[in-house]
Amino acid sequence: MVFLNVVKSGTLALNEQMKLLEAQGETVYKFGFGESPFLPPQRVQTALQEASHRKDYTPVIGLPQLREKIAEFHSEVDGYPIDAGQIMVAPGTKPLLYNLMHAFEHATVFLPAPSWVSYAPQAQIARHPVFKIPTSYDDRWRVTPDVLDRVLSEHHVVGTANLMVLNYPGNPDGLTYTRDELVALAEVFRKHEVWVVSDEIYGLLHHEGQHVSLASIYSERTMVTTGLSKWCGAGGWRLGALILPPDAPAELHSALIGLGSEVYSCAPAPIQVAALTAYELDAVVHEFLAGQRVILKAIGQKIYRQLVSAGVKVHPPQGGFYLLLDFSPFADKLNAIGIETDTQLCEQLLEQIGVALLPGTAFGMPADMFTARLAYVDFDGTDALQHMTSFDTDAEAFLENYTGKMLTGIQRLDEWLS
Ligand SMILES: Cc1ncc(COP(=O)(O)O)c(C=O)c1O
């Protein structure tokens, strides 16, 4: 083969297909693409408008003031000390994750199954061997210390670094780890000297505001990725941040700076300037975060309950905006109508009732397990945030008014299944 065998990311491909159907006048219940339903706070949008003259290239790792700001912000919200020297800024976390994979010359990559769509292709592009860490519905799709220890012992390739990606609150499952669970995993990480990329991009959207960063427990080899895409509703702005361990080797810094300089030069300067305002941790940001959490928790729990009563296996979400649906109780019925895989199931749901879900295979799940990810983001979050007072009066009416389309979509799914 002359060319690299890599295809368009499943999530982006689905987004384009949904937009095409909508352009043809179809109603599509957009549960497929995980884009925040909220706009960045007004003052952050204004800061971006006012920064349009910033046409300069910044340092590869970002503006020094922004790195200071992010360090202060995350020290405060995550409750452990972070120095600006540990921070690198880039156009999104995706290129940071990509560069992290490439910064390791020889690595064995371990990925939980399920986990986010891009980790495995990125590891493959970096030509690292990839091993899955199996999880199960009964273990709430969590990596357990025993399984982790076994997979690391069995699959470590001599002469390579162990590199693992952990993501919580999780995409595709909306579930997180407790401090005790992280402490238990950290013991195994220490034993096997694992470098962990802790993708905490949904950390600030923990529905109870109780996210625990792995870096506060396993500081020596944890590399945290975060950014504006999810909690600030600014995915298309492209602003990601990496928090390196305090004593990260100079060679790691240097490899990441080298890769960034050869691939993207820097995050866009106007976005970095606007990010200075986004990372201003005051009452505005606290209120913005609190409002998002209340709405996401309420709608996540409501959809979860509706799905359970429809017979779908699913856990109540704890953070972010995803649910991992397990349709295995319907396997016989699905097989009987010629549906053998999760992709076929998602194709039929989109075609027949306009419900867009993303198949579990995109997240490393076996096709015949009939899993699919649902993102509960098909609503106008900014409109909903502006009417938060009515949530306190009548939460049910609030959900009907501001997230009604999604509730109809779930109803249609329920009818289709029965
Ligand atoms: C788990 C996870 N990590 C990383 C990303 C990429 O984020 P960014 O927009 O910062 O590149 C996403 C986006 O959907 C995600 O869900």
Side-chain angles (χ1 to χ4, degrees):
M1 176 97 157
V2 180
F3 303 109
L4 190 66
N5 180 18
V6 57
V7 297
K8 190 189 297 179
S9 152
T11 45
L12 296 180
L14 180 91
N15 194 36
E16 287 169 22
Q17 196 192 351
M18 289 190 311
K19 286 194 170 151
L20 204 71
L21 279 171
E22 275 196 318
Q24 292 164 0
E26 306 279 339
T27 301
V28 181
Y29 302 94
K30 287 178 274 181
F31 296 118
F33 191 57
E35 186 171 346
S36 165
F38 303 97
L39 276 174
Q42 187 53 54
R43 70 175 189 190
V44 182
Q45 296 180 48
T46 307
L48 178 58
Q49 281 158 7
E50 288 171 357
S52 62
H53 66 285
R54 289 295 302 260
K55 63 174 195 53
D56 47 304
Y57 289 90
T58 75
V60 178
I61 53 177
L63 291 169
Q65 316 88 292
L66 177 58
R67 294 170 56 226
E68 282 285 347
K69 223 38 311 148
I70 295 175
E72 269 170 37
F73 182 98
H74 277 286
S75 300
E76 176 73 25
V77 295
D78 291 316
Y80 73 103
I82 304 168
D83 185 82
Q86 295 170 246
I87 306 286
M88 289 190 184
V89 170
T93 60
K94 207 183 239 187
L96 284 168
L97 292 161
Y98 181 89
N99 285 354
L100 281 167
M101 291 285 178
H102 281 79
F104 288 78
E105 180 109 52
H106 302 289
T108 311
V109 174
F110 295 92
L111 300 177
S115 59
W116 181 54
V117 286
S118 291
Y119 306 134
Q122 288 191 345
Q124 279 148 7
I125 295 168
R127 303 195 188 280
H128 297 314
V130 179
F131 294 97
K132 286 184 192 171
I133 303 172
T135 65
S136 67
Y137 175 86
D138 290 339
D139 281 329
R140 298 175 56 257
W141 311 115
R142 299 301 74 195
V143 171
T144 60
D146 289 354
V147 175
L148 177 66
D149 189 29
R150 178 173 56 73
V151 176
L152 286 165
S153 306
E154 281 173 7
H155 297 294
H156 167 73
V157 177
V158 179
T160 70
N162 285 328
L163 181 59
M164 152 136 192
V165 186
L166 198 68
N167 161 230
Y168 67 96
N171 178 0
D173 47 67
L175 301 173
T176 193
Y177 289 91
T178 62
R179 177 174 288 279
D180 287 350
E181 285 168 340
L182 291 170
V183 167
L185 290 176
E187 234 176 82
V188 184
F189 293 146
R190 269 192 196 103
K191 175 177 162 193
H192 294 273
E193 300 187 350
V194 181
W195 286 91
V196 184
V197 176
S198 191
D199 183 344
E200 301 181 21
I201 196 160
Y202 297 97
L204 287 158
L205 295 181
H206 185 298
H207 294 171
E208 310 295 341
Q210 284 172 7
H211 177 72
V212 179
S213 178
L214 181 67
S216 67
I217 294 166
Y218 180 59
S219 64
E220 58 267 46
R221 286 197 182 84
T222 297
M223 304 168 288
V224 176
T225 51
T226 177
L228 293 187
S229 293
K230 309 298 172 181
W231 73 264
C232 195
W237 287 16
R238 311 308 299 134
L239 195 292
L242 168 66
I243 309 171
L244 286 167
D247 301 322
E251 294 83 355
L252 176 58
H253 278 268
S254 156
L256 290 168
I257 294 172
L259 285 159
S261 72
E262 299 301 355
V263 181
Y264 51 71
S265 299
C266 62
I271 302 292
Q272 292 194 51
V273 173
L276 285 169
T277 306
Y279 280 107
E280 190 69 58
L281 189 58
D282 60 9
V284 174
V285 169
H286 281 301
E287 195 188 331
F288 178 54
L289 288 172
Q292 292 184 76
R293 287 174 186 147
V294 167
I295 296 171
L296 291 174
K297 178 178 171 183
I299 186 64
Q301 294 295 325
K302 180 153 181 101
I303 292 179
Y304 151 75
R305 286 193 300 272
Q306 288 186 334
L307 289 165
V308 168
S309 74
V312 178
K313 283 171 72 181
V314 56
H315 293 287
Q318 298 174 299
F321 33 67
Y322 303 106
L323 291 163
L324 185 63
L325 316 188
D326 179 342
F327 291 97
S328 59
F330 298 90
D332 290 344
K333 280 192 190 167
L334 293 171
N335 290 339
I337 55 169
I339 297 177
E340 309 273 346
T341 66
D342 54 2
T343 303
Q344 289 169 351
L345 172 62
C346 291
E347 281 167 1
Q348 287 304 313
L349 289 174
L350 187 57
E351 208 176 293
Q352 293 186 28
I353 53 170
V355 167
L357 301 176
L358 206 58
T361 36
F363 303 92
M365 299 295 283
D368 58 359
M369 267 186 72
F370 289 121
T371 55
R373 186 195 72 178
L374 182 150
Y376 44 94
V377 293
D378 192 4
F379 67 104
D380 182 342
T382 302
D383 189 28
L385 272 182
Q386 276 160 2
H387 294 88
M388 277 309 283
T389 43
S390 67
F391 181 91
D392 300 330
T393 327
D394 186 345
E396 282 299 310
F398 176 93
L399 292 179
E400 277 300 334
N401 285 339
Y402 299 104
T403 66
K405 181 182 171 200
M406 290 195 293
L407 300 177
T408 309
I410 301 298
Q411 180 87 36
R412 297 205 68 181
L413 180 60
D414 183 0
E415 284 157 14
W416 189 85
L417 287 170
S418 56

